[in-house]
Amino acid sequence: MNEGQGNHSRTRPRVMRYGRALWTCRVAMTATFVLLMSGPLRAYTPMSPEVKSMVQKAVKYLEGDFSGETELVGGKCLLAMAIYKAGDKYGTPNPNHPAVQEAVAAVRQGLQGKAEWDTSGNYSLGIAIMFLCDLDDDLYRREIEALLQRMLAKQRPDGGWGYNGRDTGDTSQTQYSVLALWAAHFHKIDIPEESAAAVCNWLLRTQTPNGSWAYQGRDPGSFTRIDQPDRKTPSMLVAGIGSVYMAADVLGFVKRDEEEDDGKPKALVKVEESDSNARKPSNLVDRGMLQRSLSDGDRRFASTYAIRTDHWQHYY
């Protein structure tokens, strides 16, 4: 789960304990995305026989024996989420699948201190929240809220999330927390406005002048951007701009699935004029700065996008 090559000595054992199951999940998801999004293959859809066959093969593989290779709660949840969502997509969701129930049990044991989270807790917490939200947000609401409390308690004073003992927020870890906040928000679970605004403002402050983000984000303490010294990889650009969009959704600035006539998603819409039931845009984030961040991030992504990267391909 770690973006930084320089930290292999600290994080490699934690990553490897997720084992081949996690990497299969990533590879299957990556391959599906490539099939759907790359230019020559746009005729493919999730229902195309080739895609469905690929997913079914991945699920069969994930249903194998991974004893001892997915000790961490997040690893179990990611494996279970891939299996469950594949079934849900193709009309055969199975909440009683052994892998799904094993993951649910791991979350409950983890909340009791009887199962292993990762060293920072942010990746596993984020994945567990997303998994339970998709599985059954009513049945597992108590667990989701308990996980959210743990995750929000780990939010840094500057608004981001990171490793214990470091003086910088971590864009990689922050995106998993934002993904979890966004999933919970989508499932009608209340997210504290102050927490969502704090991470959004951290992302705005740590964005580079050219619109990207670094692995470790140095907070300048103001909205005057600085040239972040750490690695600025394609993964971190995606993590940063995606997290800004998700935080903006939670905060009421953007609407899900809105499209312009040209098919491109709207960056911002005035939700108070279009949906009386929508959350009013937060006054804790400056709309102009948010718009600038989204525009600069979009522009940077469009100018640098490629399917292949020489840095953590499946993570990207």
Side-chain angles (χ1 to χ4, degrees):
M1 298 297 231
N2 191 285
E3 169 69 10
Q5 289 182 324
N7 298 316
H8 280 188
S9 62
R10 290 184 57 189
T11 60
R12 177 65 69 177
R14 174 171 60 83
V15 175
M16 292 307 292
R17 281 181 296 169
Y18 279 84
R20 55 198 174 101
L22 180 145
W23 287 107
T24 300
C25 293
R26 282 192 184 172
V27 171
M29 294 174 184
T30 301
T32 302
F33 178 81
V34 170
L35 280 172
L36 296 177
M37 298 304 294
S38 57
L41 300 174
R42 282 180 182 166
Y44 287 100
T45 75
M47 306 312 294
S48 297
E50 297 89 343
V51 176
K52 187 174 181 179
S53 174
M54 178 181 63
V55 173
Q56 289 173 334
K57 289 177 182 178
V59 167
K60 184 176 181 179
Y61 179 77
L62 292 174
E63 290 175 331
D65 183 10
F66 292 97
S67 302
E69 297 196 42
T70 53
E71 293 95 340
L72 300 185
V73 176
K76 293 179 183 293
C77 289
L78 185 59
L79 188 152
M81 183 161 58
I83 292 173
Y84 178 78
K85 289 179 72 70
D88 188 46
K89 185 66 179 179
Y90 296 116
T92 56
N94 183 8
N96 296 315
H97 189 286
V100 173
Q101 288 304 304
E102 181 181 357
V104 171
V107 172
R108 287 173 168 165
Q109 292 167 1
L111 288 171
Q112 297 172 3
K114 300 177 181 178
E116 187 179 2
W117 303 97
D118 55 68
T119 54
S120 68
N122 298 313
Y123 291 120
S124 279
L125 282 171
I127 294 170
I129 291 167
M130 288 184 277
F131 165 62
L132 293 182
C133 282
D134 278 345
L135 184 59
D136 193 323
D137 55 358
D138 286 328
L139 181 61
Y140 300 110
R141 189 178 185 90
R142 178 181 296 181
E143 289 84 355
I144 294 168
E145 291 179 342
L147 292 168
L148 281 169
Q149 288 179 1
R150 285 195 178 198
M151 193 185 75
L152 291 172
K154 297 171 76 66
Q155 189 172 20
R156 292 165 48 87
D158 58 18
W161 276 264
Y163 285 103
N164 297 331
R166 288 196 179 183
D167 61 356
T168 53
D170 183 303
T171 306
S172 173
Q173 292 197 52
T174 295
Q175 72 166 323
Y176 274 76
S177 297
V178 175
L179 278 162
L181 294 178
W182 192 49
H185 171 71
F186 181 72
H187 287 269
K188 312 300 182 185
I189 296 173
D190 185 55
I191 301 301
E193 181 183 359
E194 295 78 9
S195 298
V199 67
C200 187
N201 282 323
W202 180 81
L203 289 161
L204 300 187
R205 294 194 302 271
T206 57
Q207 191 172 16
T208 67
N210 71 7
S212 190
W213 279 266
Y215 170 50
Q216 296 295 309
R218 293 202 170 273
D219 190 342
S222 72
F223 292 97
T224 300
R225 298 179 188 171
I226 62 173
D227 186 14
Q228 297 285 334
D230 204 6
R231 295 169 292 280
K232 295 172 279 290
T233 63
S235 299
M236 292 302 98
L237 171 56
V238 173
I241 188 62
S243 294
V244 174
Y245 268 108
M246 288 183 283
D249 187 5
V250 174
L251 291 166
F253 287 100
V254 300
K255 289 184 65 180
R256 194 180 308 262
D257 294 332
E258 286 285 339
E259 292 186 352
E260 300 281 12
D261 291 339
D262 61 2
K264 295 180 180 179
K266 292 181 180 179
L268 296 174
V269 294
K270 295 181 179 180
V271 296
E272 69 272 20
E273 295 181 359
S274 57
D275 187 349
S276 60
N277 295 318
R279 187 177 203 171
K280 305 302 181 185
S282 174
N283 60 8
L284 301 180
V285 173
D286 183 86
R287 183 188 289 270
M289 291 181 180
L290 178 61
Q291 178 69 75
R292 178 194 174 199
S293 174
L294 294 172
S295 297
D296 289 351
D298 287 345
R299 190 178 304 111
R300 181 66 178 172
F301 180 76
S303 67
T304 60
Y305 171 71
I307 290 178
R308 296 295 307 175
T309 177
D310 59 359
H311 197 94
W312 292 86
Q313 178 67 45
H314 297 305
Y315 184 82
Y316 168 58

